[in-house]
Amino acid sequence: MSGMVEKRGVGLWFTHVGLIIGVLIIFFPIWLAFVASTVTQPEIVKPPMPLWPGDQFFANYRKALVSGINAPVAVMLFNSFVMAMGIALGKILISLMSAFAIVYFKFPGRRLFFWLIFLTLMLPVEVRIVPTYEVVAGFGMLNSYSGLIFPLIASATATFLFRQFFMTVPDELAEAARVDGARPMRFFWDILLPMSRTNIAALFVILFIYGWNQYLWPLLITTDPDMNTIVMGIRQMFPSGDDVADWPVIMATSILAMLPPVVVVVSMQRLFIRGLVDSEK
């Protein structure tokens, strides 16, 4: 017995050492980016690059937030936040309602409609980008938050996940609600929605990061620098031709771009993990 405990203790120790080494390897480039955002341009260009933060933290981050390159980083962060929140909440709301209709309302062709929704997985934005652009332009939604959000809020994956979860809910709950005189939407809001909390949290984290990292669609429909997203802004900061890159500002912008997704993941990690692995909702 003591041998088993000793073996398990040694294995646990090696596991933790391996995890720590892996975290350090992953974290090192982020640390270098942070250090580069706190020093001057000559210190970055002249080797060896420093490994400890400099004294230009406030100056570089103030320059990025207030002036940036094409647009202030604060404006681009706000644009990305609005877009990511709109996409995440829109996808979840539409998927909840469509899955609820498919599972709990009996109408002709509901299975066909579900599979038609599921087939849209074969048509990502990149495939339908030209007709989508024409529709958005026709509605006058270029350079607008609605143009950034609405074409991306349909989600076959989320609809499928909610449908599968709703199908595991005992039929007795729906029958009891019907006997009590609860209307369908009352059953949805009071019973199904609270039961779906962990699923919603897990999907929200994934969909927020999906919206935050969008590049091609915002690049296509925004020509006003004040509507640029942070991912676009970082790409535009890189020099072209003989231009000289302002690396401290670029690195400061990259660090700022990482913060909102990190905050979302850290603040919702408990619900996120439960939504992925918990079988008893």
Side-chain angles (χ1 to χ4, degrees):
M1 184 71 177
S2 61
M4 285 181 60
V5 173
E6 186 176 348
K7 279 186 178 181
R8 186 177 300 174
V10 172
L12 192 64
W13 187 82
F14 276 115
T15 300
H16 280 78
V17 170
L19 287 173
I20 292 170
I21 293 173
V23 168
L24 290 176
I25 292 173
I26 294 172
F27 181 72
F28 185 66
I30 301 174
W31 174 254
L32 283 182
F34 173 72
V35 170
S37 70
T38 64
V39 297
T40 61
Q41 177 84 354
E43 288 179 283
I44 295 177
V45 176
K46 180 181 177 182
M49 180 180 167
L51 295 178
W52 297 104
D55 57 357
Q56 300 297 308
F57 176 85
F58 293 104
N60 291 337
Y61 280 84
R62 187 184 303 112
K63 183 177 180 182
L65 285 169
V66 175
S67 59
I69 303 295
N70 294 322
V73 171
V75 172
M76 294 189 289
L77 285 171
F78 179 77
N79 293 339
S80 289
F81 181 78
V82 172
M83 181 181 179
M85 286 293 291
I87 290 174
L89 296 177
K91 279 179 177 288
I92 289 172
L93 180 61
I94 290 177
S95 301
L96 276 169
M97 299 303 293
S98 58
F100 176 60
I102 290 169
V103 173
Y104 289 99
F105 289 86
K106 293 184 174 21
F107 55 91
R110 65 172 181 162
R111 190 177 297 273
L112 173 64
F113 284 118
F114 169 72
W115 287 111
L116 287 176
I117 293 172
F118 200 69
L119 284 174
T120 61
L121 285 173
M122 301 179 186
L123 298 172
V125 166
E126 292 77 11
V127 174
R128 52 185 169 85
I129 200 161
V130 174
T132 304
Y133 177 85
E134 291 181 355
V135 172
V136 170
F139 279 104
M141 292 193 298
L142 300 179
N143 290 312
S144 68
Y145 292 126
S146 57
L148 287 170
I149 295 169
F150 288 156
L152 302 177
I153 61 173
S155 176
T157 304
T159 302
F160 174 75
L161 292 176
F162 284 126
R163 173 186 177 266
Q164 296 306 106
F165 170 64
F166 289 164
M167 291 177 69
T168 65
V169 176
D171 294 335
E172 289 78 5
L173 281 176
E175 289 295 331
R178 191 178 298 113
V179 170
D180 289 342
R183 293 183 177 276
M185 291 309 298
R186 181 71 180 273
F187 171 70
F188 174 77
W189 289 109
D190 291 351
I191 298 177
L192 287 182
L193 202 60
M195 293 178 66
S196 307
R197 187 168 61 103
T198 53
N199 301 72
I200 292 172
L203 278 171
F204 176 82
V205 173
I206 295 170
L207 296 176
F208 181 90
I209 296 174
Y210 164 82
W212 186 268
N213 290 334
Q214 285 297 310
Y215 174 72
L216 181 59
W217 180 247
L219 180 68
L220 188 67
I221 74 157
T222 59
T223 55
D224 183 357
D226 288 334
M227 289 302 300
N228 285 356
T229 61
I230 191 65
V231 178
M232 290 175 58
I234 293 174
R235 177 62 187 88
Q236 291 167 358
M237 287 180 176
F238 284 93
S240 58
D242 296 329
D243 296 337
V244 177
D246 193 346
W247 289 112
V249 174
I250 294 175
M251 293 297 104
T253 304
S254 301
I255 295 296
L256 290 170
M258 289 193 311
L259 292 181
V262 169
V263 170
V264 168
V265 171
V266 171
S267 62
M268 302 187 70
Q269 63 175 334
R270 188 183 302 273
L271 287 173
F272 174 68
I273 294 172
R274 283 182 56 193
L276 293 180
V277 304
D278 194 356
S279 59
E280 296 183 7
K281 306 297 180 186

